[in-house]
Amino acid sequence: MSNPYFDEYENLEVHELMLKDRPRQQAYCNAILANKDKFKDKVVLDVGAGTGILSAFCAKAGARLVYAVEASNVATKIALDLIQDNGLTSIVKVIHSRVEDFVLPVSSERVDIIVSEWMGFYLLHEGMLGSVLQARDKFLKEGGLMFPTECTIFVAPCSVPSLFDYWQNIDGIKMDSFATKLRAQKSSRPEIAQLDPNNLLHEGVVLHWMNLLDVDMAELEEIRFKDVVAAQKSGNHQGFCIWFEVLFPGDEAVTLSTSPFAPETHWKQCVVVLPEDSCETLEEKAPIAFEISMLRNSSDMRKYNLEVELLDPNIEEHPVPCSCHMTKCILTEAHLKTMNA
């Protein structure tokens, strides 16, 4: 049986983690408060309002009315206190409900803007995009805005020294056998970690892009991506790093990035560790061919199964131009340079 005291304590810790995530907080704060002209006198829906802080930002940006819809009982109480403490009760209406069950007080009413922090690990896993898109279809006016609007998932081959190099010498003791077992365990499921950008073997390519104003959840049942990239530096290819960025609307476009090159967020990155027999040391410009699939879990629609398969770069079609060191790509690149000279 759950203990209500500890349930509330755990919920507070989750909210504390998110509120202390400065890149997250600053992105939403800047995106909303830098667009006061878009929020002035508008009706806003905050999906999964949590503590209510995004709703408070919207009110301070000039919104006429904000519906802060939150399914968690604990979070709803926190949001009510926050809105009251900040003197915003006349603008922000905190509603304890799943957004799927929520009904606008006036049935014919629509909202001008939907705000939500719905993103999960590698954007989609354990996120609540489905709920946001349902809210969009039910409540958003034609020509309305979504905060954020655009989302991009990136992938890059990488080294994972924390699972390899670290275990070669622990205070003078080799732990190779332990490290092998640990890597076997880690390769069976993605790892959430903050990667040093120096461990990337490539700057990253776009795995998937979408616009929340028109994407349909059916399009996201399965995402499949295949590519060949050339290593931009020599190193040990031990896995793939996946991260995301979201872009907010407005004249001064604000981006929230979970890249290894950006300040750390609570999402960090998703690292898929390769099986040990698939790892290899690569030279600069070595081709890396791979396919990634993200399949929505049939038993839990908020989760995705992530799989990575290494392919043979001698067989797979390379992008044009391709900067890898294979002869056909060197000749193609030289030919293109000649044509453009």
Side-chain angles (χ1 to χ4, degrees):
M1 181 181 295
S2 66
N3 183 317
Y5 173 80
F6 286 110
D7 288 349
E8 181 167 350
Y9 181 77
E10 289 173 4
N11 268 282
L12 290 176
E13 284 195 326
V14 170
H15 293 301
E16 178 189 26
L17 176 68
M18 293 185 178
L19 290 168
K20 286 184 174 179
D21 184 336
R22 294 310 301 158
R24 168 192 181 271
Q25 282 298 111
Q26 289 171 342
Y28 275 90
C29 180
N30 292 341
I32 293 169
L33 295 180
N35 285 288
K36 290 183 177 180
D37 58 319
K38 291 179 169 50
F39 282 86
K40 183 173 173 55
D41 298 327
K42 295 295 191 290
V43 177
V44 180
L45 173 61
D46 182 357
V47 179
T51 62
I53 192 167
L54 302 188
S55 295
F57 290 156
C58 295
K60 287 184 174 295
R64 173 172 61 85
L65 180 62
V66 182
Y67 295 110
V69 180
E70 172 54 48
S72 162
N73 187 47
V74 172
T76 302
K77 292 176 182 176
I78 296 169
L80 283 166
D81 289 341
L82 181 145
I83 297 306
Q84 187 169 7
D85 290 347
N86 286 274
L88 300 172
T89 53
S90 63
I91 301 172
V92 180
K93 308 304 175 185
V94 179
I95 298 155
H96 180 213
S97 171
R98 297 190 327 138
V99 76
E100 291 85 350
D101 303 323
F102 172 64
V103 177
L104 285 169
V106 180
S107 59
S108 61
E109 185 180 25
R110 291 266 172 163
V111 302
D112 302 286
I113 300 171
I114 291 179
V115 171
S116 182
E117 195 275 79
W118 55 266
M119 297 83 76
F121 297 108
Y122 55 91
L123 188 68
L124 296 175
H125 183 65
E126 296 183 353
M128 47 181 285
L129 179 57
S131 298
V132 173
L133 296 187
Q134 283 191 46
R136 177 201 66 189
D137 295 342
K138 286 173 63 177
F139 303 122
L140 188 63
K141 286 180 180 178
E142 186 175 347
L145 298 175
M146 302 279 288
F147 278 67
T149 300
E150 298 179 21
C151 312
T152 309
I153 306 175
F154 298 86
V155 61
C158 65
S159 300
V160 194
S162 62
L163 292 178
F164 288 82
D165 304 349
Y166 178 80
W167 302 103
Q168 293 174 4
N169 184 340
I170 302 295
D171 299 320
I173 304 298
K174 290 170 58 177
M175 298 193 67
D176 294 345
S177 298
F178 172 80
T180 298
K181 291 181 175 64
L182 181 64
R183 287 192 291 270
Q185 178 180 306
K186 298 284 188 181
S187 65
S188 65
R189 57 182 297 177
E191 179 91 348
I192 302 302
Q194 183 67 27
L195 209 66
D196 186 323
N198 291 321
N199 294 327
L200 295 181
L201 301 180
H202 190 279
E203 64 189 354
V205 292
V206 174
L207 187 161
H208 187 73
W209 175 89
M210 60 184 172
N211 189 316
L212 295 190
L213 288 171
D214 55 26
V215 69
D216 188 277
M217 206 62 207
E219 300 171 37
L220 302 176
E221 287 295 322
E222 181 179 18
I223 296 172
R224 195 171 287 274
F225 175 75
K226 183 191 288 190
D227 201 5
V228 180
V229 299
Q232 294 173 329
K233 61 190 287 189
S234 60
N236 298 316
H237 183 207
Q238 299 161 336
F240 287 90
C241 179
I242 302 172
W243 67 90
F244 68 85
E245 291 181 356
V246 297
L247 177 68
F248 296 86
D251 297 332
E252 296 182 17
V254 174
T255 299
L256 169 57
S257 175
T258 64
S259 162
F261 299 101
E264 182 176 346
T265 70
H266 77 277
W267 288 284
K268 303 184 183 196
Q269 293 92 43
C270 172
V271 179
V272 181
V273 181
L274 293 174
E276 197 144 2
D277 58 2
S278 298
C279 299
E280 59 178 330
T281 301
L282 299 178
E283 298 176 351
E284 185 179 352
K285 295 194 174 183
I288 304 168
F290 63 96
E291 183 173 30
I292 292 183
S293 66
M294 296 170 59
L295 181 64
R296 202 173 180 193
N297 191 313
S298 58
S299 59
D300 187 341
M301 302 304 278
R302 288 193 172 182
K303 294 184 177 180
Y304 278 77
N305 298 321
L306 181 62
E307 293 184 0
V308 176
E309 180 183 2
L310 285 177
L311 306 174
D312 186 346
N314 294 298
I315 297 173
E316 298 302 321
E317 184 176 346
H318 291 219
V320 178
C322 174
S323 58
C324 84
H325 61 34
M326 292 183 68
T327 303
K328 64 179 181 179
C329 293
I330 293 173
L331 293 173
T332 300
E333 190 173 27
H335 178 66
L336 291 173
K337 286 181 179 178
T338 302
M339 290 180 62
N340 293 328

Coordinates of all heavy atoms in Angstrom, one line a residue, residues 42-102:
K42 N -5.0 37.2 -24.3 CA -5.3 35.9 -25.0 C -5.8 34.9 -23.9 O -5.5 35.0 -22.7 CB -4.1 35.3 -25.7 CG -3.7 36.2 -26.9 CD -4.8 36.2 -28.0 CE -4.3 36.8 -29.3 NZ -4.1 38.3 -29.2
V43 N -6.4 33.8 -24.4 CA -6.8 32.7 -23.5 C -5.8 31.5 -23.8 O -5.6 31.2 -24.9 CB -8.3 32.2 -23.9 CG1 -8.6 30.9 -23.0 CG2 -9.3 33.3 -23.7
V44 N -5.3 31.0 -22.7 CA -4.2 30.1 -22.8 C -4.6 28.8 -22.1 O -5.2 28.8 -21.0 CB -2.9 30.6 -22.1 CG1 -1.7 29.6 -22.2 CG2 -2.5 31.9 -22.8
L45 N -4.1 27.6 -22.6 CA -4.3 26.3 -22.0 C -2.9 25.8 -21.7 O -2.1 25.6 -22.6 CB -5.1 25.4 -22.9 CG -5.2 23.9 -22.4 CD1 -5.9 23.8 -21.1 CD2 -5.9 23.1 -23.5
D46 N -2.7 25.5 -20.4 CA -1.4 24.9 -19.9 C -1.7 23.4 -19.7 O -2.4 23.1 -18.7 CB -0.9 25.6 -18.7 CG 0.4 25.1 -18.2 OD1 1.0 24.1 -18.8 OD2 0.9 25.6 -17.2
V47 N -1.2 22.5 -20.5 CA -1.4 21.1 -20.5 C -0.4 20.4 -19.6 O 0.8 20.5 -19.8 CB -1.4 20.5 -21.9 CG1 -1.7 19.0 -21.8 CG2 -2.4 21.1 -22.8
G48 N -0.9 19.8 -18.5 CA 0.1 19.2 -17.6 C 0.8 20.3 -16.8 O 2.0 20.3 -16.8
A49 N 0.0 21.1 -16.1 CA 0.6 22.4 -15.6 C 1.6 22.2 -14.4 O 2.3 23.1 -14.2 CB -0.6 23.3 -15.1
G50 N 1.6 21.0 -13.8 CA 2.5 20.8 -12.7 C 2.4 21.8 -11.6 O 1.3 22.0 -11.1
T51 N 3.5 22.5 -11.3 CA 3.5 23.5 -10.2 C 2.8 24.7 -10.6 O 2.5 25.6 -9.7 CB 4.9 23.8 -9.8 OG1 5.6 24.5 -11.0 CG2 5.7 22.6 -9.4
G52 N 2.5 24.9 -11.9 CA 1.7 26.1 -12.3 C 2.6 27.3 -12.7 O 2.2 28.3 -13.1
I53 N 3.9 27.0 -12.7 CA 4.9 28.1 -13.0 C 4.7 28.6 -14.4 O 4.8 29.9 -14.7 CB 6.3 27.8 -12.7 CG1 7.2 29.0 -12.7 CG2 6.9 26.7 -13.6 CD1 8.6 28.8 -12.1
L54 N 4.5 27.7 -15.4 CA 4.3 28.2 -16.8 C 3.0 29.0 -16.9 O 3.0 30.0 -17.7 CB 4.3 27.0 -17.8 CG 5.5 26.1 -17.8 CD1 5.4 25.1 -18.9 CD2 6.8 26.9 -17.9
S55 N 2.0 28.6 -16.2 CA 0.7 29.4 -16.2 C 1.0 30.8 -15.6 O 0.4 31.8 -16.1 CB -0.3 28.7 -15.4 OG -0.7 27.5 -16.0
A56 N 1.8 30.9 -14.6 CA 2.1 32.2 -14.0 C 2.9 33.0 -15.0 O 2.6 34.3 -15.1 CB 3.0 32.0 -12.7
F57 N 3.8 32.4 -15.7 CA 4.5 33.2 -16.8 C 3.5 33.8 -17.8 O 3.7 34.9 -18.2 CB 5.5 32.3 -17.5 CG 6.7 31.9 -16.7 CD1 7.4 30.7 -17.1 CD2 7.2 32.6 -15.6 CE1 8.5 30.3 -16.3 CE2 8.3 32.2 -14.9 CZ 9.0 31.1 -15.3
C58 N 2.6 33.0 -18.2 CA 1.6 33.4 -19.2 C 0.8 34.6 -18.6 O 0.5 35.5 -19.4 CB 0.7 32.2 -19.6 SG 1.5 30.9 -20.4
A59 N 0.4 34.5 -17.4 CA -0.4 35.6 -16.8 C 0.4 36.9 -16.7 O -0.1 37.9 -17.0 CB -0.8 35.2 -15.3
K60 N 1.7 36.7 -16.4 CA 2.6 37.9 -16.3 C 2.9 38.5 -17.7 O 3.2 39.6 -17.8 CB 3.9 37.6 -15.6 CG 3.7 37.4 -14.1 CD 5.0 37.1 -13.4 CE 4.8 37.1 -11.8 NZ 4.4 38.4 -11.3
A61 N 2.7 37.6 -18.7 CA 2.9 38.1 -20.1 C 1.7 38.8 -20.6 O 1.7 39.3 -21.8 CB 3.3 36.9 -21.0
G62 N 0.6 38.8 -19.9 CA -0.6 39.6 -20.3 C -1.8 38.8 -20.7 O -2.8 39.3 -21.2
A63 N -1.8 37.4 -20.5 CA -2.9 36.6 -20.8 C -4.1 37.0 -20.1 O -4.1 37.4 -18.9 CB -2.6 35.1 -20.6
R64 N -5.3 37.0 -20.7 CA -6.5 37.4 -20.1 C -7.0 36.2 -19.2 O -7.6 36.5 -18.1 CB -7.6 37.7 -21.1 CG -9.0 37.9 -20.6 CD -9.9 38.4 -21.7 NE -10.1 37.5 -22.8 CZ -10.9 36.4 -22.8 NH1 -11.7 36.2 -21.8 NH2 -11.0 35.7 -23.9
L65 N -6.8 35.0 -19.6 CA -7.3 33.8 -18.9 C -6.4 32.7 -19.2 O -6.0 32.4 -20.3 CB -8.7 33.5 -19.3 CG -9.4 32.3 -18.6 CD1 -9.6 32.5 -17.1 CD2 -10.8 32.1 -19.3
V66 N -6.0 31.9 -18.1 CA -5.2 30.7 -18.3 C -5.8 29.5 -17.6 O -6.2 29.6 -16.4 CB -3.8 30.9 -17.7 CG1 -2.9 29.7 -17.9 CG2 -3.1 32.2 -18.3
Y67 N -6.0 28.5 -18.3 CA -6.5 27.2 -17.8 C -5.3 26.3 -17.5 O -4.7 25.9 -18.4 CB -7.5 26.5 -18.7 CG -8.8 27.2 -19.0 CD1 -9.0 27.8 -20.3 CD2 -9.7 27.4 -18.0 CE1 -10.2 28.5 -20.5 CE2 -10.9 28.1 -18.3 CZ -11.1 28.6 -19.5 OH -12.3 29.3 -19.8
A68 N -5.0 26.1 -16.2 CA -3.9 25.3 -15.8 C -4.4 23.9 -15.5 O -5.0 23.7 -14.4 CB -3.2 25.9 -14.6
V69 N -4.3 23.0 -16.4 CA -4.9 21.6 -16.2 C -3.9 20.6 -15.8 O -2.9 20.5 -16.5 CB -5.6 21.2 -17.6 CG1 -6.2 19.8 -17.4 CG2 -6.6 22.2 -18.0
E70 N -4.1 20.0 -14.7 CA -3.1 19.1 -14.1 C -3.8 17.9 -13.5 O -4.8 18.0 -12.7 CB -2.3 19.8 -13.0 CG -1.4 18.9 -12.2 CD -0.4 18.1 -13.1 OE1 0.2 18.7 -14.0 OE2 -0.3 16.9 -12.8
A71 N -3.4 16.7 -13.9 CA -4.0 15.4 -13.4 C -3.6 15.0 -12.0 O -4.3 14.3 -11.3 CB -3.7 14.3 -14.4
S72 N -2.4 15.4 -11.6 CA -1.9 14.9 -10.3 C -2.5 15.7 -9.2 O -2.5 17.0 -9.2 CB -0.3 15.1 -10.2 OG 0.1 15.1 -8.9
N73 N -3.0 15.0 -8.2 CA -3.6 15.7 -7.0 C -2.6 16.5 -6.3 O -2.9 17.7 -5.9 CB -4.2 14.6 -6.1 CG -5.0 15.3 -5.0 OD1 -5.8 16.1 -5.2 ND2 -4.8 14.8 -3.8
V74 N -1.4 16.0 -6.1 CA -0.4 16.7 -5.3 C 0.0 18.0 -6.1 O 0.1 19.1 -5.5 CB 0.9 15.8 -5.1 CG1 2.0 16.7 -4.5 CG2 0.5 14.7 -4.2
A75 N 0.3 17.8 -7.4 CA 0.7 19.0 -8.2 C -0.4 20.1 -8.3 O -0.1 21.3 -8.2 CB 1.1 18.5 -9.6
T76 N -1.6 19.6 -8.3 CA -2.7 20.6 -8.4 C -2.7 21.5 -7.1 O -2.9 22.7 -7.2 CB -4.1 19.9 -8.5 OG1 -4.1 19.1 -9.7 CG2 -5.2 20.9 -8.6
K77 N -2.5 20.9 -6.0 CA -2.4 21.6 -4.7 C -1.3 22.6 -4.7 O -1.4 23.8 -4.3 CB -2.3 20.7 -3.5 CG -3.5 19.8 -3.3 CD -3.3 18.8 -2.1 CE -4.5 17.9 -1.9 NZ -4.2 16.9 -0.9
I78 N -0.1 22.2 -5.3 CA 1.0 23.0 -5.3 C 0.7 24.2 -6.3 O 1.0 25.4 -6.0 CB 2.3 22.3 -5.9 CG1 2.7 21.2 -4.9 CG2 3.4 23.2 -6.1 CD1 3.7 20.2 -5.5
A79 N 0.1 23.9 -7.4 CA -0.2 25.0 -8.4 C -1.2 26.0 -7.8 O -1.1 27.2 -8.0 CB -0.8 24.4 -9.6
L80 N -2.2 25.5 -7.0 CA -3.2 26.4 -6.4 C -2.5 27.4 -5.4 O -2.7 28.6 -5.4 CB -4.2 25.6 -5.6 CG -5.3 24.9 -6.5 CD1 -6.1 23.9 -5.7 CD2 -6.3 26.0 -7.1
D81 N -1.5 26.8 -4.7 CA -0.8 27.7 -3.7 C 0.1 28.7 -4.5 O 0.1 29.9 -4.1 CB 0.1 26.8 -2.8 CG -0.7 26.0 -1.8 OD1 -1.8 26.3 -1.6 OD2 -0.1 25.0 -1.3
L82 N 0.8 28.2 -5.5 CA 1.6 29.1 -6.3 C 0.9 30.3 -6.9 O 1.3 31.5 -6.8 CB 2.4 28.4 -7.4 CG 3.4 29.1 -8.3 CD1 4.6 28.3 -8.6 CD2 2.7 29.7 -9.5
I83 N -0.3 30.0 -7.5 CA -1.1 31.0 -8.1 C -1.6 32.0 -7.1 O -1.6 33.2 -7.3 CB -2.2 30.4 -9.0 CG1 -1.7 29.5 -10.1 CG2 -3.2 31.4 -9.5 CD1 -0.7 30.2 -11.0
Q84 N -2.0 31.5 -6.0 CA -2.5 32.3 -4.9 C -1.4 33.2 -4.3 O -1.6 34.4 -4.1 CB -3.2 31.5 -3.8 CG -3.9 32.3 -2.7 CD -4.7 31.5 -1.8 OE1 -4.7 30.3 -1.8 NE2 -5.5 32.1 -0.9
D85 N -0.3 32.6 -4.1 CA 0.9 33.3 -3.5 C 1.3 34.5 -4.4 O 1.9 35.5 -3.9 CB 2.1 32.4 -3.3 CG 1.8 31.4 -2.1 OD1 0.8 31.6 -1.4 OD2 2.6 30.4 -2.0
N86 N 1.1 34.3 -5.7 CA 1.5 35.4 -6.7 C 0.4 36.3 -7.1 O 0.6 37.1 -8.0 CB 2.2 34.7 -7.9 CG 3.6 34.2 -7.5 OD1 4.6 34.9 -7.6 ND2 3.6 32.9 -7.2
G87 N -0.7 36.2 -6.4 CA -1.9 37.1 -6.7 C -2.4 37.0 -8.1 O -2.8 38.0 -8.7
L88 N -2.5 35.7 -8.6 CA -2.9 35.5 -10.0 C -4.2 34.8 -10.1 O -4.6 34.3 -11.2 CB -1.8 34.8 -10.8 CG -0.4 35.5 -10.9 CD1 0.6 34.6 -11.5 CD2 -0.6 36.8 -11.7
T89 N -5.0 34.6 -9.0 CA -6.2 33.8 -9.1 C -7.3 34.3 -10.0 O -8.1 33.6 -10.4 CB -6.7 33.6 -7.6 OG1 -6.9 34.9 -7.1 CG2 -5.8 32.8 -6.8
S90 N -7.2 35.6 -10.3 CA -8.3 36.2 -11.2 C -8.0 35.8 -12.6 O -8.9 35.9 -13.5 CB -8.3 37.7 -11.0 OG -7.1 38.3 -11.4
I91 N -6.8 35.4 -12.9 CA -6.4 35.1 -14.3 C -6.2 33.6 -14.5 O -6.7 33.0 -15.5 CB -5.1 35.8 -14.7 CG1 -5.2 37.3 -14.6 CG2 -4.6 35.4 -16.1 CD1 -3.9 38.1 -14.7
V92 N -5.5 32.9 -13.6 CA -5.2 31.5 -13.7 C -6.2 30.6 -13.0 O -6.4 30.8 -11.8 CB -3.8 31.2 -13.2 CG1 -3.5 29.7 -13.4 CG2 -2.8 32.1 -14.0
K93 N -6.8 29.7 -13.7 CA -7.8 28.8 -13.1 C -7.2 27.4 -13.1 O -6.9 26.8 -14.2 CB -9.1 28.8 -13.9 CG -9.7 30.2 -14.2 CD -10.0 30.9 -12.9 CE -10.5 32.3 -13.1 NZ -10.6 33.1 -11.8
V94 N -6.8 26.9 -11.9 CA -6.2 25.6 -11.8 C -7.3 24.6 -11.7 O -8.2 24.7 -10.9 CB -5.3 25.6 -10.5 CG1 -4.7 24.2 -10.3 CG2 -4.3 26.7 -10.5
I95 N -7.2 23.6 -12.6 CA -8.2 22.6 -12.7 C -7.6 21.2 -12.6 O -6.6 20.8 -13.3 CB -8.9 22.7 -14.1 CG1 -9.6 24.0 -14.2 CG2 -9.9 21.5 -14.3 CD1 -9.7 24.5 -15.6
H96 N -8.1 20.4 -11.6 CA -7.6 19.1 -11.3 C -8.3 18.1 -12.3 O -9.4 17.7 -12.1 CB -7.8 18.7 -9.9 CG -7.3 17.3 -9.6 ND1 -8.0 16.5 -8.6 CD2 -6.3 16.6 -10.1 CE1 -7.3 15.3 -8.6 NE2 -6.3 15.3 -9.4
S97 N -7.6 17.7 -13.4 CA -8.2 16.9 -14.4 C -7.2 16.4 -15.4 O -6.2 17.1 -15.6 CB -9.3 17.7 -15.1 OG -9.8 17.0 -16.3
R98 N -7.4 15.2 -16.0 CA -6.7 14.9 -17.2 C -7.2 15.8 -18.3 O -8.4 16.1 -18.4 CB -6.9 13.4 -17.5 CG -6.5 12.4 -16.5 CD -6.5 11.0 -17.1 NE -7.6 10.8 -18.0 CZ -7.5 10.1 -19.2 NH1 -6.4 9.6 -19.5 NH2 -8.6 10.0 -20.0
V99 N -6.3 16.2 -19.2 CA -6.7 17.1 -20.2 C -7.7 16.4 -21.2 O -8.5 17.0 -21.8 CB -5.5 17.6 -21.0 CG1 -4.9 16.6 -21.9 CG2 -5.9 18.9 -21.8
E100 N -7.6 15.0 -21.2 CA -8.5 14.2 -22.1 C -9.9 14.3 -21.6 O -10.9 14.2 -22.3 CB -8.0 12.8 -22.1 CG -6.8 12.5 -22.9 CD -5.5 12.7 -22.0 OE1 -5.6 13.2 -20.9 OE2 -4.4 12.3 -22.5
D101 N -10.1 14.6 -20.3 CA -11.4 14.7 -19.7 C -11.9 16.2 -19.5 O -13.0 16.4 -19.1 CB -11.4 14.0 -18.3 CG -11.0 12.6 -18.4 OD1 -11.3 11.9 -19.4 OD2 -10.3 12.1 -17.5
F102 N -11.0 17.1 -19.7 CA -11.2 18.5 -19.5 C -12.2 19.0 -20.5 O -12.2 18.7 -21.7 CB -9.9 19.3 -19.6 CG -10.1 20.8 -19.5 CD1 -10.6 21.4 -18.4 CD2 -9.7 21.6 -20.6 CE1 -10.7 22.8 -18.3 CE2 -9.8 22.9 -20.5 CZ -10.4 23.5 -19.4

